[in-house]
Amino acid sequence: MEVDCVPFKETGYFSRLICDYLEQREELKPFFNRFPLPENFEGQIKEKQENYPDAHRAILVASLKDQYRGFEATEATLGNIASLEGTNTFTVVTGHQLNLFTGPLYFLYKIVSAINLAKQLKERYPNHYFVPVYWMATEDHDFEEINYFNLHGKKIQWNKKASGAVGRLSTEGLEVLFETLTAELGQTTKAERLKDLFRRAYIEHDNLAKATRFLANELFGDQGLVIVDGDDASLKQLLVPFAEKDIFEHTPFHRVTETIDALAKVSADYTIQVNPREINYFYLKDGLRERIVKKNGHFYVVDTQIKFTPDQLREELEQHPERFSPNVIARPLYQEVILPNLCYIGGGGELAYWLELKPYFEDMGITFPMLLLRNSALLVTGKQYKKAQKLGVKISHLFLKQHSLINKKIREISNIDIDFSPQKKLLEEQFQLMYELAEQTDKSFLGAVKAQEVKQKKGLDALEKRLLQAQKRKLKDHVVRLTDLQNELFPNKSLQERQLNFSEMYLEMGDSLIPTLSDTLDPFCDGFLVLKS
């Protein structure tokens, strides 16, 4: 497989904040700990080693063994779990929602990034062990975000009334969706493998957390991936003192709000990803995950009759920590409290909200992890690559917005010059003389000269646009083929990795899909990868 690389900044799909972070802009340095370069992990290892209680390791390992009960964990995974009891073992983590059948293709890229990072760190620091971790977002409650995946341009959707944490949802009813999937996949050997994988994951397990664990374990267990479910009473016991500071002292609300203000001062172009609440915890029971709010000296669970005095809520937190579910602000802290973690691997949106959290972590006395942008990739088949060659277009150009791509190509292949830049430059030179003349005679004419310049430039723009449209009509066949190719590689005018499900690529590549990704994705790559089969 051939590998090419497009700088993230040139793709047009990454925010100003993330591009500045990747360039290690000086003004952003207060918002992260260490930039994720191989040599910087030495300091991160030392800091986490000094700041992670040994007692947490035993609790973590016991919880993981319990979570894997009933699953066929591989020797590699069991070995990694056991190694977590040693003080020289650390994790690298990625997290994702429990999207049906993995959801978008980048689910695979996240996990492969974590696995490959662990491997590379082991080579560089042979006296330590590094465990790749997939954190399942079992406590999310936005069912509409996870109840579907796309296949062949069709939305395969699980229609179900759902409430509460998605990990606890029953898989009852997925038999109907399995029939839809079966009809869509066809009868090939690769299709049969996918059907069997879906059936064993979702039909043979009774809730979504178990189904997702089985699926991720089937795909990545041989590479030692460890899957963590935060919806765990013993792990949440470790979170209690931090939850108290959030609920009763509002520490993250104050610190994160200050950090957001500080980020805004660095650049007005930075989009704030999430905002903290005064209380960043939900109350969690089967079928229920609602916010906790304080009102008139009491604590209430939104949209319920549940009510606590401060003492009652403290008691509830101590006795039933599993009933307190962190939101997007508190969850990262929970992860870093329970894991000996060095690095979080996420997409641009995720890293954007992590960059809001460092002072909050410092107040809580928890080491802030390194933040690594996950690998992104565009998978191009041999047939698609040949189409691009025939059209004389570089794959990197296909990242352009469609109208920009077409205009660029039409200008290239047209037998006439459709660029009026020389004429505009000549016009500006002529008007410069008129400005000087007006200055020497009557300055009140400057406005009239400016208006005339603007009018004539607009006239040239209109002529250029009409000429371009005429050439598009003349070269219609080329435009259609170019548009079709871009639509194949960027479905719905979006990144392939955000639209396609892995099953579509598995039908193309079979069992070589994940090994190919493992061989080609480099966590330290500083660009968007183009993989040509």
Side-chain angles (χ1 to χ4, degrees):
M1 176 160 289
E2 294 181 47
V3 182
D4 202 355
C5 189
V6 180
F8 287 114
K9 199 170 185 177
E10 294 180 13
T11 67
Y13 284 96
F14 292 83
S15 71
R16 169 77 179 276
L17 174 58
I18 294 304
C19 290
D20 284 355
Y21 171 68
L22 295 176
E23 292 175 357
Q24 301 180 61
R25 182 178 172 183
E26 189 67 30
E27 294 90 335
L28 279 179
K29 289 186 177 179
F31 302 95
F32 61 92
N33 196 359
R34 294 175 180 85
F35 194 76
L37 299 172
E39 61 270 23
N40 289 346
F41 277 84
E42 183 175 1
Q44 192 75 16
I45 289 169
K46 184 178 180 181
E47 183 180 350
K48 189 66 179 184
Q49 200 163 33
E50 293 172 350
N51 196 29
Y52 181 74
D54 290 346
H56 286 200
R57 291 184 179 275
I59 295 169
L60 174 62
V61 169
S63 294
L64 288 172
K65 288 179 178 178
D66 186 59
Q67 290 183 19
Y68 270 89
R69 191 167 288 118
F71 292 86
E72 293 183 11
T74 63
E75 287 186 17
T77 294
L78 291 174
N80 275 340
I81 291 173
S83 75
L84 286 166
E85 285 196 282
T87 57
N88 63 340
T89 298
F90 300 89
T91 62
V92 290
V93 178
T94 193
H96 197 65
Q97 295 170 296
L98 306 192
N99 294 74
L100 194 62
F101 213 34
T102 77
L105 187 59
Y106 70 80
F107 172 86
L108 269 63
Y109 302 163
K110 278 185 164 184
I111 294 178
V112 172
S113 295
I115 291 169
N116 284 353
L117 177 59
K119 290 177 181 177
Q120 290 193 31
L121 290 177
K122 181 59 179 174
E123 290 177 5
R124 188 175 184 94
Y125 303 99
N127 294 326
H128 295 85
Y129 296 92
F130 304 93
V131 176
V133 168
Y134 161 45
W135 180 288
M136 295 194 297
T138 55
E139 295 179 55
D140 281 3
H141 60 253
D142 198 338
F143 182 65
E144 285 71 27
E145 287 188 2
I146 67 158
N147 68 342
Y148 70 94
F149 62 94
N150 298 315
L151 178 60
H152 300 147
K154 299 176 182 177
K155 191 173 185 178
I156 310 294
Q157 185 167 331
W158 183 16
N159 295 311
K160 177 188 180 79
K161 288 185 178 180
S163 61
V166 295
R168 301 182 182 187
L169 286 178
S170 168
T171 52
E172 185 179 356
L174 278 173
E175 297 87 351
V176 176
L177 193 141
F178 177 63
E179 292 174 5
T180 303
L181 176 64
T182 296
E184 185 61 37
L185 286 173
Q187 304 296 323
T188 66
T189 301
K190 294 171 186 173
E192 293 303 320
R193 161 73 173 136
L194 289 170
K195 294 175 198 174
D196 182 61
L197 187 60
F198 187 95
R199 177 184 56 77
R200 289 190 295 145
Y202 293 96
I203 309 303
E204 296 181 7
H205 291 89
D206 60 10
N207 69 31
L208 197 54
K210 292 178 183 177
T212 305
R213 181 183 295 276
F214 175 87
L215 181 59
N217 186 58
E218 281 292 299
L219 295 174
F220 297 104
D222 62 336
Q223 298 189 60
L225 182 70
V226 172
I227 303 162
V228 176
D229 183 353
D231 189 4
D232 182 294
S234 59
L235 293 178
K236 283 191 175 175
Q237 192 67 56
L238 302 176
L239 186 63
V240 169
F242 304 96
E244 285 180 341
K245 287 187 176 182
D246 187 309
I247 294 169
F248 298 104
E249 300 175 29
H250 310 313
T251 302
F253 174 71
H254 297 303
R255 296 300 278 139
V256 177
T257 299
E258 291 170 3
T259 308
I260 289 172
D261 291 342
L263 271 170
K265 289 176 182 176
V266 175
S267 174
D269 294 331
Y270 292 167
T271 301
I272 300 306
Q273 200 70 18
V274 296
N275 286 289
R277 296 185 180 274
E278 287 194 350
I279 297 174
N280 295 285
Y281 282 83
F282 294 88
Y283 192 69
L284 178 67
K285 283 187 174 180
D286 286 336
L288 172 70
R289 187 180 186 247
E290 293 291 348
R291 289 192 298 116
I292 301 170
V293 297
K294 187 178 182 181
K295 186 179 178 182
N296 299 326
H298 284 73
F299 293 88
Y300 298 83
V301 178
V302 174
D303 293 334
T304 74
Q305 300 298 313
I306 302 172
K307 171 184 173 183
F308 299 96
T309 67
D311 288 342
Q312 287 171 337
L313 191 62
R314 287 183 189 276
E315 183 179 358
E316 183 80 353
L317 181 58
E318 289 287 345
Q319 294 184 0
H320 298 287
E322 72 278 3
R323 295 178 183 173
F324 292 79
S325 176
N327 72 359
V328 66
I329 292 290
R331 188 209 59 77
L333 185 87
Y334 177 33
Q335 170 189 300
E336 299 304 311
V337 165
I338 68 173
L339 294 173
N341 192 45
L342 303 175
C343 180
Y344 184 75
I345 302 165
E350 291 176 284
L351 296 200
Y353 73 71
W354 274 89
L355 288 168
E356 302 174 18
L357 304 179
K358 183 170 177 274
Y360 159 44
F361 272 60
E362 290 170 347
D363 272 13
M364 294 293 194
I366 300 299
T367 298
F368 195 64
M370 299 166 85
L371 303 176
L372 179 66
L373 185 65
R374 66 167 173 82
N375 283 127
S376 284
L378 175 66
L379 299 178
V380 183
T381 65
K383 185 177 179 181
Q384 290 167 333
Y385 188 56
K386 285 179 181 177
K387 285 182 183 179
Q389 287 181 312
K390 285 183 179 180
L391 288 167
V393 63
K394 293 180 179 179
I395 297 296
S396 60
H397 291 162
L398 294 170
F399 282 87
L400 292 168
K401 299 300 182 186
Q402 195 159 91
H403 69 278
S404 299
L405 172 67
I406 293 170
N407 288 350
K408 175 181 174 59
K409 195 59 188 174
I410 292 300
R411 291 178 193 277
E412 286 179 6
I413 64 176
S414 177
N415 56 4
I416 59 174
D417 191 359
I418 315 177
D419 184 4
F420 284 3
S421 297
Q423 289 83 354
K424 291 174 186 175
K425 185 177 180 181
L426 180 61
L427 190 67
E428 288 172 357
E429 291 172 354
Q430 292 173 336
F431 270 93
Q432 184 59 41
L433 294 173
M434 297 178 70
Y435 283 126
E436 293 173 2
L437 184 61
E439 283 277 1
Q440 295 169 11
T441 55
D442 187 344
K443 291 185 179 181
S444 64
F445 282 106
L446 287 172
V449 174
K450 180 66 176 175
Q452 195 61 227
E453 180 186 15
V454 170
K455 181 179 179 181
Q456 293 197 31
K457 280 185 175 179
K458 282 184 178 180
L460 282 175
D461 287 339
L463 287 172
E464 185 177 350
K465 188 174 181 180
R466 288 183 63 181
L467 187 58
L468 191 61
Q469 291 296 331
Q471 285 299 97
K472 284 181 185 178
R473 289 191 293 272
K474 186 176 180 180
L475 301 168
K476 182 180 178 181
D477 178 64
H478 199 98
V479 170
V480 169
R481 287 187 291 131
L482 183 60
T483 302
D484 287 345
L485 176 60
Q486 189 185 46
N487 289 341
E488 282 182 29
L489 293 172
F490 294 82
N492 296 323
K493 295 181 172 60
S494 179
L495 290 176
Q496 178 194 73
E497 63 183 30
R498 292 189 169 276
Q499 296 293 317
L500 269 58
N501 181 257
F502 88 97
S503 58
E504 196 156 336
M505 286 302 170
Y506 184 88
L507 290 173
E508 184 79 29
M509 301 174 66
D511 288 337
S512 69
L513 172 61
I514 291 177
T516 296
L517 294 177
S518 298
D519 291 342
T520 53
L521 298 188
D522 179 358
F524 294 114
C525 173
D526 59 357
F528 199 111
L529 295 169
V530 178
L531 310 182
K532 295 171 282 189
S533 61

